[in-house]
Amino acid sequence: VKGKNGQISHFILLRGDKFATGKQEWDLAGGFGEKDDKTKGPFATITREVQEEFGLKELKIQTTLPLGKMRPDAGMTNNHPELFAVIIDAEQASKINENAVNLDPKELKAGPLIVPIKQLNEMCLKNEDSYFHFAVNKLNSLGVINTSPKAK
């Protein structure tokens, strides 16, 4: 979330039930393209997934940042997904209700968790999701965010 001063002020995670671990986990919004997305392109998929997972029918994305591809575990799987980050402004973020749930009825219960950027380092120490860590690391490396304890 970009604040009024032009700086990233908050980071939005998802908290939700995960089949594989059998408990609630923190991760990022994301998903796969659907039939209609093929003609609209990858940004249609990104927009739809963010809206669904934040529990909103409409959300204006200010910027989409390509973060590159990652290999979650090259020793176990050949998956090589491409990740993106989206930036929304504070007005759009104010529409997000932390009690919202994913609008996609085919997915497990999940909803947004809005974290002040100053608390993101603490979340990094608690979170075990590789996609989350990849995104935070890339955003730090690109200078989009700064999770260094000295930045507080």
Side-chain angles (χ1 to χ4, degrees), residues 54-73:
F54 291 176
L56 298 169
K57 293 184 188 234
E58 189 174 321
L59 181 72
K60 183 178 177 188
I61 294 173
Q62 192 174 49
T63 306
T64 302
L65 299 169
L67 300 179
K69 289 187 171 191
M70 73 167 286
R71 294 200 183 273
D73 186 344

Side-chain angles (χ1 to χ4, degrees), residues 33-143:
E34 292 182 359
K35 192 168 145 180
D36 294 343
D37 293 344
K38 289 180 182 180
T39 58
K40 298 176 187 174
F43 296 109
T45 302
I46 294 165
T47 301
R48 180 184 44 73
E49 285 292 338
V50 169
Q51 288 171 341
E52 284 177 359
E53 297 194 4
F54 291 176
L56 298 169
K57 293 184 188 234
E58 189 174 321
L59 181 72
K60 183 178 177 188
I61 294 173
Q62 192 174 49
T63 306
T64 302
L65 299 169
L67 300 179
K69 289 187 171 191
M70 73 167 286
R71 294 200 183 273
D73 186 344
M76 297 289 290
T77 178
N78 66 353
N79 290 344
H80 198 209
E82 190 157 359
L83 273 65
F84 297 85
V86 299
I87 297 176
I88 61 173
D89 64 26
E91 180 183 337
Q92 293 295 306
S94 71
K95 297 177 182 179
I96 299 170
N97 178 343
E98 288 196 18
N99 294 316
V101 292
N102 190 326
L103 298 175
D104 186 341
K106 296 176 277 184
E107 293 194 32
L108 293 174
K109 181 181 173 190
L113 176 65
I114 303 171
V115 178
I117 203 73
K118 291 180 180 180
Q119 293 175 13
L120 190 55
N121 193 48
E122 181 182 330
M123 295 299 291
C124 287
L125 296 173
K126 294 178 183 177
N127 194 327
E128 297 176 344
D129 183 75
S130 62
Y131 292 95
F132 167 81
H133 284 284
F134 178 90
V136 170
N137 186 36
K138 283 285 188 146
L139 290 167
N140 265 312
S141 297
L142 292 168

